[in-house]
Amino acid sequence: FLVIPRPGQADVAVANPFRARRLAGFPLDVSSSQIRSRVKAGLPVEHLVPAGVAEAIRNNRLYL
């Protein structure tokens, strides 16, 4: 697993037997739950994810 901390979030241990690498340098202030909720509500997500990701979500009808 890759873990990207959100701004202001405390570091959380990953449960055994899982291992994770933590990435630093670009904390994101958005959650996957937020993205899924917006897509389900028909709201845009282009300002939250890269253009290619937004396109993949649309083209594959993800989170609907």
Side-chain angles (χ1 to χ4, degrees):
F1 292 99
L2 286 176
V3 177
I4 302 173
R6 292 191 189 112
Q9 183 180 30
D11 192 23
V12 177
V14 176
N16 285 330
F18 302 106
R19 292 180 298 143
R21 288 188 55 206
R22 284 170 174 72
L23 299 181
F26 55 93
L28 304 173
D29 195 17
V30 63
S31 70
S32 57
S33 299
Q34 224 178 340
I35 294 167
R36 288 191 302 270
S37 294
R38 290 185 65 82
V39 170
K40 194 171 186 175
L43 299 171
V45 295
E46 284 77 7
H47 63 289
L48 299 175
V49 298
V53 173
E55 183 179 354
I57 291 170
R58 264 192 320 276
N59 291 344
N60 295 292
R61 300 186 47 79
L62 300 177
Y63 310 131
L64 295 176

